[in-house]
Structure formats: C-alpha cells, structure tokens
Amino acid sequence: MSTVKTPNATSSNFTELGLISPLLARLTELKYQQPTPIQAQVIPCVLAGRDLIAGANTGSGKTAAFALPLLQQLSKASNSKSSQGNYVTGLILVPTRELAKQVADSIKSYAVHFNGSIKTVAVFGGVSANTQMLALRGGTDILVATPGRLLDLISSNAIKLDRVTTLVLDEADRMLSFGFTEELSALFALLPKKKQILLFSATFPEQVKALTQELLNDPVEIQLQSSDASTLVQRVFTVNKGQKTALLAHLIKLHQWQQTLIFVNAKKSCNHLAEKLAKRGISAEVFHGDKGQGARNRVLEAFKAGEIQVLIATDIAARGLDIEKLPVVINFDLPRSPSDYMHRIGRSGRAGEVGLALSLIDHEDYHHFKVIEKKNKLRLEREQVAGFEVAEAYNEASFNVDKPMAKPEGSGKKKRKDHEQINADIWLRKD
Ligand code: AMP
C-alpha cells in the first residue's frame, strides 16, 4: 500500500486538482473556495483511476471528495447509463437511509451543470421499493444504496451490478461494525472483477484492514495529518428519564475534569441543576442572562482561570466564548436549534486542542437529537454508561441504522465489561 502526502494540500484550488468546468462552476456557486484537505488528496487519486482507502470523518468534505471525480469520470465515459438497460456504473454503499439520501442529494447538486446527462438514484429501506424500481428503469449512472435494499432490488431484477466501474464504500468502519458483512459479501460477489474501489473509513479496525488486503488493488492510503483532523470528539450517552443528574454527577466525579461547561435551556434550570449537584457534593456556578454583567464577568474569569470547576450556563455562553483548553462541554439539555449544538460544542477542542462534547439524551430527547444530527450532518453512536443502562427497546431504537441492531454477543457479564471499558476510555476515544 502506498501513502500519498500532498505537502500543500490545503493551498491547492479546485482547478489545480484537474476538475472540469461544469464542476468548477458549481463549486463557485456553492462558495467552496478551496478543497478541504481530504478533497485535495483524494480527487487526483480518483481521477488517476487508483483504488484508495481514506481516513475521513463526516464533516471533512468527503462526499465531494469522491463525488466530484466520479462525476467527471462518468461525464467522459461513453458507456454511460440509460441505453444500457438496468445497469449501474458508479455504486456508492452507505450504512443508513439518511446518508443515502444525503449523499445522492449532494451528488445531484454537484452535477447540475451536466444538464441532466448524469442520472443519480438513491435506494434504501423503509420506503416503497416500487418507486425506486421505477426510478431505476433504464439504468442509472450513480446509485447510492444501503446494502439490504440493494440486494432486494437485485433479486427483483430492478438493477444489475455487472457493469459497475467504481465502487465507493462510505463509512466502511460503521458498516462493518454494524454487521453488514454478509450483505457486503453477497454484493461483492455480483460486482465485476475489474473496478475501482474507494473506501472511506473514520477508523481502521481489523475488518477494514482485512477488506483492504482482500479487495483493493494496490490502494493509495490517505490519512489526514493529525492537524487536519478534528480534535473534538463528540459522544452521546443514552439515559433513562430522571437519571440525567445522577449520570452527570457520576461522570464529573469519575473524570475529575479540570473544567466542565454544562449547557441547559433556561435560566431557572441553571440554578436548579446547581442545587441538585450540590446535594451530590459537586459545587457549581451558574452563568445566565439574569446575572448582572459584573457577576457574569467575574464568574467567567474565575472559570477560565480554573478556579471554578463546573459552570452551568444557558446559550448565552454558547457563542464566541473562548476558554483555553476547555476539556469538556456537556449538553444536559439539548439546544433547541441545531446550529446552537455546533456553537455549544465548539467551546471545546478549539485551536487544535483535544476536546470532548458529551450529550446526555433520554427518551424525550431522542427525536430532537436526530434532527440536530441531520441538520449538522452528523451521525453519532449512542452509548451507555455502566450503572445507567436504558431499557433495551429504547436502546435498539436509538441506533439509527438501516437494519436491526445485532444483539450484543456474550453474557450479561461480558456486556457489563464492555460498558466498563467504555467508561475507562470515555476520555477522548476517537470513534
Ligand atoms: P461532508 O463531510 O461530505 O458531509 O461535508 C460536510 C459539509 O461541508 C457539507 O455541508 C458540504 O457542503 C461542505 N463542504 C464540502 N466541501 C467543502 C469545501 N471545499 N468548501 C466548503 N464547504 C464544503
């Protein structure tokens, strides 16, 4: 496996990457001023026809990294789509329904200046297969699919994979860890031998490495330098209603963070939570709009200086506050607006420092958190903390994948151990 390092990756522009004018025009319209680091490295490799494995998280610009060169290749390919029956040329496999739609929408947006000559379709479970079959009639250039629905459509002869020239496996680590392995093997068996494979994975667990060796042909490995990667880890803990304060107190005591910034949604809630934490032996200060400016300044200065360990704040603390090396931000209440989520968590992990953003969600927060994720183009794994496990039914429902979650293997004892392990490395494990 070769490793590509692009010294001035962030300084290149889209023209230098070799993209053609219909794409460049669209990028200008979208106000993409320069390629993200992953785009600067991936686009030339894809255009050169190389297989690749790239380490990239959602939010790094990876959709455009594979979509732009794929569109360019397809726009030049003579065997393009419709006249070819129910064939697909570029296949993108993703783990969730939401991601399938999102990726397809992005590709359609990037392709507007090809004036309809490149057809993109998304197929995923949970909706009628008939509409998708109709959309696939006559073939498609780019198909974005979740594995289960794709296999169903193949068995109904709605689509054929024999002429796939490029396969993109998005979120490969997630797909493999959620037990898509059998479906992937079935799909791989239907693909032609000669094809370009692009594999995107947030992490490189053993299964991903094994896939690389088995399936990819002399792949280029692209791993963002650590300075390119986000240094903020976002985690979500599910908890039963009524147990949030207990979980919060447990986490604060367990980790002894130097400073903890906790967000709630109302001024009253600041005081209320401070009182409840005090009963559990944790001293906290509050920061909200009912305090006079002088008091606010004093509290903030004391927090920045490390004299206050726990600060409970409303969203007035969400924007612009720069607290050096703030190790952790906790959403005790979820923010009403999805953009406030980003503002809140942006208080930690600033300027390349490591940081942690935790959200504690109970049954009532579940749907709203999905909205926050969707609007911010995030998908975070729901986790639990030992001693605060939620009801099994809720736990399964909280995993937003395109198929039922596999039950954890092993005995209750082993499960417990896994949770303890999560606890042990809660501190900045990168997912
Ligand atoms: P992704 O990682 O593909 O989910 O992209 C995250 C967000 O970044 C999306 O909203 C994209 O529209 C945006 N984006 C991707 N590439 C660029 C770029 N080069 N400049 C500005 N925004 C971008």
Side-chain angles (χ1 to χ4, degrees), residues 170-246:
D170 197 7
E171 309 271 339
D173 48 349
R174 258 182 95 93
M175 293 182 76
L176 291 162
S177 66
F178 280 125
F180 282 98
T181 331
E182 265 178 37
E183 288 166 345
L184 285 187
S185 317
L187 287 169
F188 272 107
L190 299 169
L191 288 162
K193 232 179 168 170
K194 192 171 172 296
K195 60 192 169 298
Q196 183 180 23
I197 303 185
L198 315 175
L199 202 148
F200 291 84
S201 192
T203 56
F204 294 89
E206 286 309 313
Q207 300 100 307
V208 175
K209 284 185 198 148
L211 248 191
T212 333
Q213 278 162 14
E214 271 177 40
L215 301 168
L216 279 67
N217 174 26
D218 186 25
V220 174
E221 186 187 2
I222 294 171
Q223 184 63 53
L224 292 182
Q225 305 300 304
S226 58
S227 60
D228 296 332
S230 167
T231 50
L232 179 71
V233 177
Q234 298 173 56
R235 305 187 69 179
V236 185
F237 292 156
T238 53
V239 60
N240 282 318
K241 194 166 163 53
Q243 280 200 300
K244 263 196 196 180
T245 312

Side-chain angles (χ1 to χ4, degrees), residues 273-294:
L273 183 58
E275 282 161 22
K276 290 206 282 187
L277 287 179
K279 284 187 189 147
R280 293 172 183 270
I282 295 168
S283 146
E285 290 286 343
V286 297
F287 184 84
H288 56 66
D290 272 356
K291 283 178 97 73
Q293 194 56 48

Side-chain angles (χ1 to χ4, degrees), residues 14 30-36 39 57-64 102 106 110 377:
F14 285 110
L30 291 172
K31 301 196 168 52
Y32 287 12
Q33 282 167 358
Q34 62 172 28
T36 64
Q39 290 163 1
N57 284 308
T58 301
S60 59
K62 75 178 148 92
T63 314
Q102 182 186 303
S106 297
Y110 295 138
K377 300 196 167 93

